Amino acid sequence: MKILWRITKIAALERSRMAGAWASLIVATILFLSIPRLIGFSIDYAISGGADEQQSTRVLVYLGAIVIGVVALRGIFNYANLYLAESVSQHVSYTIRNMLYDKLQHLSFAFHDREHTGNLMSKSTIDVEMMRMFVSMGLVRSGQITMLVIGSAVMMFLTDVELALISLSFVPVIAARAIYASTRMRKMWLQAQVEMGKLTTVLQENLAGQRVVKAFGAEEHEENKFDYQNEAVYETTYIARRAQSSNSALMQIIFWASSGVILWFGGRAVIDERITIGALAEFILYTSLLVQPMRMVGFLVNTFARAASAGQRLFEVLDAPSPVREKDDPHTLSNVHGSVSFDNVTFSYGNADAIKNVSLDVSPGQVIALMGAPGSGKTTLMSLLSRFYDVNDGAICVDGIDVREISLSSLRSNIGVVQQDVFLFSATVAENISYGHENATMDEIIQAAKTAQIHDEIVALPDGYETVIGERGVSLSGGQRQRLSIARTLAINPAILILDDSTSSVDAGTESRIQKALSEVIKGRTTFIIAHRLSSIQNAELVVVMEEGKIAEMGTPDELIVAGGLFTKVTELQYATNLNGISTTPSSVGSRGTSS
Ligand SMILES: Nc1ncnc2c1ncn2[C@@H]1O[C@H](COP(=O)(O)OP(=O)(O)OP(=O)(O)O)[C@@H](O)[C@H]1O
Ligand SMILES: [Mg+2]
């Protein structure tokens, strides 16, 4: 109930149109209710006959004309009502879609780690549609049904109390049945919607991961997975639909059985001259007036039930607290120097700590290489600096200010991240590069591309910087994508730069070109380079080696070699590999360390 009330409050934002819909609904229903009375009156008039034949014919013609007029007027108001109700409901779905999208933009990584993309997609399409149906059908149409039932009841009681009681005796039966069905149906539809969400996830992952599927020849596995989920959707929807059908069939049986009963008792009342034939006709017409609305009760109950379950799913997202929240009066960074300090930072994604008691002081403009085995926490540590997650313990400061005190937009526009998994949008190359800096001039875009060593390749594309990439566009190689994402980050000109494994998929030649260019770029910027290859860290002044979420070693490359720990082992291993000619890049880290 609370859920439906919340949707109603959103619809109430469209006050004037909602009021218009209701006003036209009331007028249309009153006109509708007057038709049986007019017809009943005409029948009685025709049977009893007037003073003279000519006059009564004229009156009957007038009565016929009035009925036609009333029907036409009712049609006009009905149109106004449908139009206004529809426009309110469209506006509600528009508003909810926007609210959902805005919310999704501001939920932190932790939320997206949990929620499946496909599920979110089904929420923002199917569930929003359910809400729209609720507004147009539930909020307006249910009013019409109530008015028709009450109006018919009043008209019937005014004519004959006993027959009215008999005629209306089926209404509470249907209402009780509807309420019972509603509770059952709600659970069924919720289940069906959950299964549909899962199906969308399977589909979305399959489409996004087509290359992996093909590469592993996993088509059959994927087909089975889809089949299984598709079956679940079929089953749950089928069960819900079956329950819905048997419910509305039962309602019709109850209804038509009551018509027989009215004829039986009404006929006797006419014979006893308690009511006129016109009045009996009225009763039958009023009951038939209720056929359509009563049949709709089942549908309406469903609309309510489905809107309630869809609402529950949507409000789960809309109400989801974002663990990373901005302070009420956040600090805005300006003229960032770029000092960064991690003070005894501990963080976990859930169970085990991914980062344990990490302390690290970085002075402005310093270049830090982060090394360590896969899963040692390098990416996580950097995610904490950008505040994609909040630390569980300790603090991270930029220029001496705790990142939790800084507005998210100003923090992130000063920290440029080249992420490990490159994601590019289906847009032009230029648009992708200027993604974080919408007002970038073409010169700035080209400069960023040149620094990232991708300019020449962009120019060689069919439409140069205007080439559309991604789906239904030109495909780029892994290395090109990586350099494009470097250009995108450079375009925002951040004071702090994080390069997460950014040169892993480029060849040695390109890498050394990027390194050379980077040595220009990183001047005056605090730079974190996460790398596995020693060749990638030639600019580093400080090497931090991580192991299981902790800092295992830290120092200049020379110091670390002398210490003879993990770093030395990696160095020796890669050096040996080079000697065997597998890698073409020499890894004389030590000498580079001294030169920097
Ligand atoms: N979104 C997440 N949810 C839960 N656990 C995560 C998440 N991301 C990473 N982890 C876990 O946290 C630990 C550190 O992962 P992280 O990605 O920081 O490692 P990494 O050092 O960057 O590794 P790699 O060199 O492979 O990129 C790992 O045990 C990983 O399984
Ligand atoms: Mg990583």
Side-chain angles (χ1 to χ4, degrees), residues 83-322:
Y83 167 75
L84 291 169
E86 191 57 26
S87 91
V88 174
S89 74
Q90 290 292 352
H91 203 266
V92 167
S93 61
Y94 165 84
T95 309
I96 293 179
R97 267 199 301 272
N98 271 346
M99 279 164 67
L100 194 69
Y101 196 75
D102 288 354
K103 178 77 186 188
L104 287 175
Q105 304 315 303
H106 292 106
L107 278 168
S108 56
F109 276 33
F111 175 85
H112 292 285
D113 286 346
R114 262 197 334 267
E115 279 270 348
H116 288 294
T117 311
N119 202 15
L120 287 175
M121 279 160 67
S122 106
K123 283 184 183 183
S124 30
T125 51
I126 301 175
D127 290 350
V128 171
E129 175 60 15
M130 294 300 148
M131 302 238 174
R132 189 195 67 72
M133 295 265 287
F134 166 74
V135 173
S136 89
M137 300 302 298
L139 285 185
V140 182
R141 202 89 335 198
S142 63
Q144 186 186 30
I145 292 180
T146 317
M147 279 175 63
L148 274 177
V149 172
I150 294 175
S152 307
V154 170
M155 299 303 255
M156 288 180 188
F157 274 112
L158 287 177
T159 313
D160 187 83
V161 176
E162 193 188 319
L163 201 54
L165 281 173
I166 293 167
S167 310
L168 292 169
S169 58
F170 69 97
V171 172
V173 178
I174 291 191
R177 171 76 206 169
I179 291 163
Y180 165 72
S182 134
T183 28
R184 254 184 82 217
M185 237 44 132
R186 193 171 120 71
K187 288 196 195 101
M188 288 181 184
W189 282 121
L190 183 61
Q191 189 57 34
Q193 277 152 259
V194 167
E195 296 300 341
M196 192 65 204
K198 287 192 203 159
L199 187 73
T200 320
T201 300
V202 173
L203 185 66
Q204 185 265 335
E205 284 189 351
N206 174 276
L207 293 177
Q210 263 302 311
R211 282 159 208 277
V212 181
V213 175
K214 296 260 178 342
F216 283 86
E219 288 90 346
E220 203 174 308
H221 167 73
E222 284 296 316
E223 277 167 24
N224 291 339
K225 198 161 81 181
F226 188 82
D227 248 18
Y228 177 79
Q229 194 49 44
N230 200 8
E231 178 117 3
V233 171
Y234 168 78
E235 281 289 333
T236 45
T237 316
Y238 174 76
I239 292 172
R241 283 260 174 235
R242 193 177 56 191
Q244 182 182 342
S245 308
S246 63
N247 189 49
S248 52
L250 185 72
M251 289 205 184
Q252 284 190 48
I253 292 172
I254 300 172
F255 176 80
W256 284 109
S258 73
S259 286
V261 175
I262 295 171
L263 216 52
W264 169 259
F265 283 98
R268 291 220 333 231
V270 172
I271 293 166
D272 294 346
E273 294 189 350
R274 214 176 68 226
I275 59 168
T276 61
I277 294 180
L280 178 60
E282 261 177 55
F283 270 95
I284 291 175
L285 283 174
Y286 275 122
T287 355
S288 69
L289 214 71
L290 292 179
V291 178
Q292 187 59 18
M294 278 301 146
R295 281 175 66 176
M296 266 178 60
V297 165
F299 182 68
L300 265 179
V301 167
N302 266 302
T303 311
F304 275 75
R306 294 185 73 168
S309 59
Q312 187 177 332
R313 282 157 52 82
L314 279 178
F315 289 131
E316 262 167 29
V317 178
L318 290 175
D319 298 342
S322 192

Side-chain angles (χ1 to χ4, degrees), residues 113 349 354 372-381 389 420 500-501 532:
D113 286 346
Y349 285 106
S376 54
K378 305 178 294 292
T379 302
T380 306
L381 192 65
Y389 301 90
Q420 201 166 7
D500 194 345
D501 245 350
H532 289 113

Side-chain angles (χ1 to χ4, degrees), residues 352-401:
D353 283 346
I355 298 292
K356 291 169 217 157
N357 305 101
V358 168
S359 291
L360 176 66
D361 281 309
V362 178
S363 40
Q366 210 175 4
V367 179
I368 297 95
L370 275 176
M371 300 188 81
S376 54
K378 305 178 294 292
T379 302
T380 306
L381 192 65
M382 290 299 105
S383 299
L384 295 174
L385 174 57
S386 300
R387 215 181 157 210
F388 294 140
Y389 301 90
D390 268 341
V391 298
N392 294 6
D393 208 6
I396 299 174
C397 295
V398 170
D399 280 3
I401 305 163

